[in-house]
């Protein structure tokens, strides 16, 4: 099956002072994938999204972290 309409919806939500949720909604399979960035002294990314979505959120994560580097993914 070829899916021609692969439109995705993306959202970034600040849940708490140091916790940010990135959401990717895949409407063609009715699925939401979430990634969580814990922006502490040693930032951690909990990644559960698609590989393609990484290209979308990496620039956002770099902007949030500034000079800090991710400790773990």
């Amino acid at each position: 099956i070829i899916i021609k309409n692969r439109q995705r919806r993306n959202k970034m939500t600040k849940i708490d002072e140091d916790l940010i949720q990135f959401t990717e909604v895949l409407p063609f399979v009715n699925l939401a994938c979430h990634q969580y960035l814990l922006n502490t002294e040693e930032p951690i990314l909990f990644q559960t999204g698609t590989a393609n979505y990484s290209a979308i959120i990496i620039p956002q994560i770099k902007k949030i972290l500034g000079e800090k580097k991710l400790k773990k993914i």
Side-chain angles (χ1 to χ4, degrees), residues 7-43:
Q7 294 178 349
R8 298 173 181 194
R9 293 183 304 239
N10 306 304
K11 181 179 174 186
M12 183 176 81
T13 306
K14 189 171 186 177
I15 295 174
D16 197 29
E17 183 67 29
D18 295 324
L19 183 61
I20 299 165
Q21 178 188 51
F22 299 91
T23 302
E24 172 187 28
V25 177
L26 308 170
F28 53 93
V29 290
N30 194 28
L31 177 69
C33 299
H34 303 285
Q35 293 70 234
Y36 296 91
L37 175 63
L38 185 56
N39 188 11
T40 58
E41 197 170 306
E42 295 184 336

Side-chain angles (χ1 to χ4, degrees), residues 46-59:
F46 296 90
Q47 174 71 10
T48 61
T50 64
N52 291 338
Y53 188 57
S54 296
I56 295 170
I57 67 167
I58 286 174

